[in-house]
Amino acid sequence: MKNGSLRTLLFALLIGAAPGSRADVVFLKHGAKLEGRIVERTGSSVEIDIGAGSLTLPMSKVDRIEEGRSPLDDYDDRAAKLAENDRDGWLELARWASGVGLGAQSRWAYEHVLGIDPNDPEANQALGRVEVDGRWMTEDEAYRARGFVEFEGQWMTPSEQESILRARDADRAASEARARTAEAQARSAEAQARSAEAQAQEAEAQAQRWPHGNSLYWSGWGPGPRDWPTNPLDSN
């Protein structure tokens, strides 16, 4: 197990451990300790069940081990003494397991209760189920029964979903319209640039044909042959 996962598990164990409960205790060399029930112990490793799962540690990290009776042992003993259809007994076991920090075992006991009585309120509520029109169901089933729909990880009414989709469609249409407008403006600007370039080229060609422009006058006939009313060469 990686160091980060080990630290997380250690923290969860320390928070969830029942005060004063006896158990197998594995003391680690860096000062932490694990309480639970030793499942297997060899010369190279030790596996300890902490209730929510098992953890195997190399003996190189272990300082010492103190063996004792754990809440898991008590749970197994209590469960073994209960009749399969003893609803009250399994309810009591579930409460006790929850109180000593055995969350997984508490859930198992509550699930056993529902196997006996599917409508037991305490077991249903403990397992996160809700009652809708006299029927117990999961939270997701309850939302569906009330007409909600799941959309992108959230439960909402169909009208809320439709409103979101309409808003997105409107945003998409507006974005596409802006893109079309920007494209048209770009094409217009490009056409104007080409026109300006053509005009500049024409002006340059004209300047090369008439280097003196309109400042050149031919005697009394005006600025040049283009402006003469008649061609003086034709008067003869």
Side-chain angles (χ1 to χ4, degrees):
M1 178 175 290
K2 294 181 179 180
N3 292 336
S5 300
L6 177 59
R7 286 194 295 269
T8 301
L9 186 55
L10 289 172
F11 177 77
L13 178 64
L14 293 174
I15 295 298
S21 61
R22 297 183 63 235
D24 295 333
V25 184
V26 178
F27 293 88
L28 303 180
K29 290 183 178 179
H30 55 66
K33 66 179 180 179
L34 298 174
E35 296 185 16
R37 178 171 58 188
I38 292 178
V39 177
E40 183 179 9
R41 182 176 179 181
T42 68
S44 59
S45 66
V46 58
E47 180 182 356
I48 182 169
D49 186 346
I50 61 173
S54 296
L55 178 66
T56 300
L57 297 170
M59 291 301 294
S60 60
K61 294 180 184 264
V62 176
D63 180 55
R64 70 183 190 280
I65 297 175
E66 294 182 0
E67 296 186 6
R69 185 174 179 83
S70 75
L72 286 170
D73 294 318
D74 293 336
Y75 177 89
D76 289 344
D77 289 348
R78 288 175 179 237
K81 294 176 182 177
L82 291 175
E84 287 294 313
N85 61 349
D86 184 357
R87 183 181 69 89
D88 292 340
W90 285 98
L91 276 174
E92 179 59 31
L93 179 60
R95 298 185 195 114
W96 173 84
S98 178
V100 297
L102 299 179
Q105 287 71 20
S106 176
R107 182 177 183 84
W108 297 341
Y110 276 125
E111 288 174 347
H112 192 99
V113 171
L114 291 185
I116 302 170
D117 180 7
N119 293 318
D120 184 85
E122 180 182 342
N124 275 292
Q125 291 173 4
L127 295 175
R129 297 167 67 87
V130 294
E131 188 177 15
V132 179
D133 297 331
R135 294 185 300 118
W136 289 96
M137 57 188 68
T138 65
E139 186 177 0
D140 288 351
E141 292 170 340
Y143 274 117
R144 292 189 182 95
R146 295 188 179 108
F148 285 77
V149 294
E150 187 176 10
F151 180 67
E152 296 181 347
Q154 294 184 346
W155 289 100
M156 61 186 65
T157 63
S159 61
E160 289 173 331
Q161 182 190 29
E162 185 179 355
S163 177
I164 292 174
L165 293 176
R166 281 200 307 266
R168 289 183 180 177
D169 288 342
D171 289 343
R172 188 182 304 110
S175 178
E176 292 173 353
R178 288 193 296 269
R180 288 193 297 269
T181 299
E183 184 179 356
Q185 291 174 343
R187 287 197 301 267
S188 176
E190 184 180 355
Q192 292 175 358
R194 287 197 300 267
S195 176
E197 183 180 0
Q199 292 175 357
Q201 292 174 350
E202 175 62 23
E204 182 179 357
Q206 183 176 347
Q208 292 175 353
R209 288 195 301 269
W210 303 98
H212 299 289
N214 290 334
S215 62
L216 178 62
Y217 278 77
W218 292 51
S219 183
W221 289 93
R226 290 182 304 165
D227 296 322
W228 290 344
T230 58
N231 189 335
L233 299 178
D234 295 338
S235 60
N236 297 328

